[in-house]
Amino acid sequence: MAHVVDPERAGRAGFVGIGPERISSNILADRLAVLVEHGLLTKAEDPSHKQKVIYSLTEPAIQLVPVFAQLGAWGTRHLPVAEEYAARGEVIAGGGPPALAAFMDELREIHLGPEARRQPAPGGPTIAAQMDAAYAAALDHAAGT
């Protein structure tokens, strides 16, 4: 499931915006349909294009974020993980429960609307922006720049 909908990417997505994985569109459509069926995603028509749809996380999916964070932390400890991917997870791990709660609220705002937030948005960069910056810094480090 994490490969189909990456919660760390935070934004809403159609087929094009889901990630770098190479997966056939019919398999992806089947997986997305299962996630919709189980209430983890909603599917809506894209108002900008009749043949596109927008997938959004639901509250039950957002409540799985701590599970994914723990799985990611375990993977970083026990499996070979590229530095740029580990860096993203370290933002949440380093920020502890407050960072995790803030990230979940960011997802709520993006996918469910601003009224779904449980806490006011904190000042400064979002957790998603911090993860993106950590990813970019790790890529730069790996490239020697």
Side-chain angles (χ1 to χ4, degrees), residues 52-124:
K52 292 183 180 181
V53 295
I54 297 171
Y55 290 94
S56 297
L57 296 173
T58 62
E59 181 61 31
I62 292 167
Q63 290 179 16
L64 285 171
V65 169
V67 175
F68 290 131
Q70 287 298 313
L71 286 171
W74 180 91
T76 299
R77 285 191 308 272
H78 299 288
L79 301 171
V81 177
E83 182 182 346
E84 61 270 20
Y85 297 114
R88 292 170 70 196
E90 289 169 7
V91 170
I92 291 203
L100 191 56
F103 183 56
M104 291 171 69
D105 260 354
E106 291 171 23
L107 293 172
R108 285 184 184 100
E109 183 170 352
I110 291 166
H111 293 273
L112 306 174
E115 68 284 351
R117 277 188 159 279
R118 296 196 175 160
Q119 298 291 323

Side-chain angles (χ1 to χ4, degrees), residues 4-106:
V4 174
V5 178
D6 183 350
E8 292 181 352
R9 305 252 172 161
R12 294 178 178 201
F15 277 89
V16 176
I18 288 184
E21 295 81 16
R22 304 262 184 225
I23 184 170
S24 68
S25 60
N26 62 330
I27 291 173
L28 179 57
D30 288 345
R31 290 182 183 177
L32 290 169
V34 168
L35 293 172
V36 170
E37 179 183 331
H38 289 286
L40 297 173
L41 294 177
T42 59
K43 178 180 173 181
E45 292 181 15
D46 185 337
S48 70
H49 195 284
K50 291 181 182 181
Q51 294 179 327
K52 292 183 180 181
V53 295
I54 297 171
Y55 290 94
S56 297
L57 296 173
T58 62
E59 181 61 31
I62 292 167
Q63 290 179 16
L64 285 171
V65 169
V67 175
F68 290 131
Q70 287 298 313
L71 286 171
W74 180 91
T76 299
R77 285 191 308 272
H78 299 288
L79 301 171
V81 177
E83 182 182 346
E84 61 270 20
Y85 297 114
R88 292 170 70 196
E90 289 169 7
V91 170
I92 291 203
L100 191 56
F103 183 56
M104 291 171 69
D105 260 354
E106 291 171 23

